[in-house]
Amino acid sequence: MRAAGEPRWVATILSSSLLWHAARLALVSAYLLGGLVKLFDFAGAVAEQEAFGLRPGWLWASLAIFIELGGSALVLADRLVWLGAGALGMLTLVAMLAANAFWAASAAERWMLTNAFFEHLGLIAGLVLVAMLSSRTRPSS
């Protein structure tokens, strides 16, 4: 179904299953990469968590790896997307608050942290949208 005034070629592109898969892969790509990097450099992942004040670092690093890889797999498989996207969104929220606390930053750092904070907020919105769209694109049982 086309939206009013939407050109047919746009509707064709937006209804493509290839685009649906590619968009979900793009959405979770940073999580996949982050999870794999943490997995293969666990000591670095622990140090990163502790640098942000998240202790014990091994627990937070383990949770991050599990959520980044597991949540991404659920989104990509289009199964339990609400759970995968929700877990990734909550992880992103924790990361935003721990790593991008622009309100507590010096004036020199404030702009960069503010920008990163709102980029992460947009990512959370994308995860919400993929969960909403996933449930609407499946055939009814």
Side-chain angles (χ1 to χ4, degrees):
M1 178 183 229
R2 287 190 308 162
E6 181 179 71
R8 182 171 303 282
W9 66 272
V10 171
T12 299
I13 292 170
L14 292 177
S15 65
S16 164
S17 66
L18 180 61
L19 181 61
W20 176 237
H21 295 295
R24 286 182 298 145
L25 177 59
L27 181 63
V28 300
S29 62
Y31 296 107
L32 288 171
L33 181 60
L36 290 171
V37 168
K38 287 177 185 72
L39 183 63
F40 290 110
D41 181 14
F42 191 71
V46 170
E48 177 186 44
Q49 301 303 312
E50 290 181 349
F52 291 126
L54 300 172
R55 288 183 176 41
W58 66 266
L59 177 62
W60 285 98
S62 299
L63 284 171
I65 292 166
F66 178 76
I67 292 169
E68 286 176 329
L69 297 179
S72 295
L74 291 174
V75 169
L76 290 173
D78 204 15
R79 299 287 183 261
L80 299 173
V81 176
W82 62 270
L83 179 61
L88 291 169
M90 292 305 298
L91 177 70
T92 304
L93 179 64
V94 170
M96 283 169 54
L97 297 174
N100 302 124
F102 64 88
W103 54 89
S106 68
E109 294 179 305
R110 191 167 296 129
W111 169 246
M112 229 171 31
L113 290 176
T114 301
N115 190 53
F117 183 92
F118 285 98
E119 285 175 349
H120 284 85
L121 185 61
L123 189 52
I124 292 170
L127 291 163
V128 169
L129 289 172
V130 81
M132 292 169 65
L133 288 171
S134 179
S135 68
R136 289 185 172 95
T137 58
R138 267 188 237 107
S140 299
S141 312

